[in-house]
Amino acid sequence: MTTCGPVTKSLLLLAVVVALIGQGSAADRTVSECCTTVSTQQIPETIVDYMVQQRNNHCVNAVIFQTESGGLYCCKHDEPWVMRKIRQLRAKKRAALASTPSSL
């Protein structure tokens, strides 16, 4: 990808490291540079974060989930389980922000 923000670059670097050390499951698509294919299968690990990838050149529309072990998985963005997991992660982030004491 030619135009990447700092977060995207960090995720891509992490993806390369993960690919080099062989993380991930054969059932799921792991990220190397960007998602060029996606999986519809649920991820058997604990998911801790996600990012949305928009179609661009050879990259496809995808949700990239990051697992507790550092694995990155390319998933089909409109799968019901993917949408549920995104809602759960958003709710968890909102709850964490709400419980953080204000520094004002």
Side-chain angles (χ1 to χ4, degrees), residues 64-84:
I64 304 171
F65 285 118
Q66 179 180 3
T67 63
E68 203 168 53
S69 67
L72 298 173
Y73 296 89
C74 298
C75 299
K76 192 165 187 249
H77 69 282
D78 58 355
E79 282 291 307
W81 76 267
V82 170
M83 294 184 282
R84 270 192 312 275

Side-chain angles (χ1 to χ4, degrees), residues 54-72:
Q54 301 295 323
R55 185 171 182 262
N56 182 11
N57 298 325
H58 66 282
C59 305
V60 298
N61 286 332
V63 173
I64 304 171
F65 285 118
Q66 179 180 3
T67 63
E68 203 168 53
S69 67
L72 298 173

Side-chain angles (χ1 to χ4, degrees), residues 4-77:
C4 298
V7 173
T8 304
K9 287 180 182 177
S10 295
L11 281 173
L12 290 175
L13 177 60
L14 179 59
V16 170
V17 170
V18 167
L20 289 175
I21 61 174
Q23 292 288 329
S25 163
D28 298 306
R29 306 282 185 208
T30 57
V31 180
S32 57
E33 185 177 311
C34 70
C35 299
T36 57
T37 60
V38 292
S39 175
T40 58
Q41 297 179 5
Q42 292 193 31
I43 299 169
E45 297 180 59
T46 302
I47 297 171
V48 296
D49 205 1
Y50 77 97
M51 72 175 259
V52 176
Q53 173 184 282
Q54 301 295 323
R55 185 171 182 262
N56 182 11
N57 298 325
H58 66 282
C59 305
V60 298
N61 286 332
V63 173
I64 304 171
F65 285 118
Q66 179 180 3
T67 63
E68 203 168 53
S69 67
L72 298 173
Y73 296 89
C74 298
C75 299
K76 192 165 187 249
H77 69 282

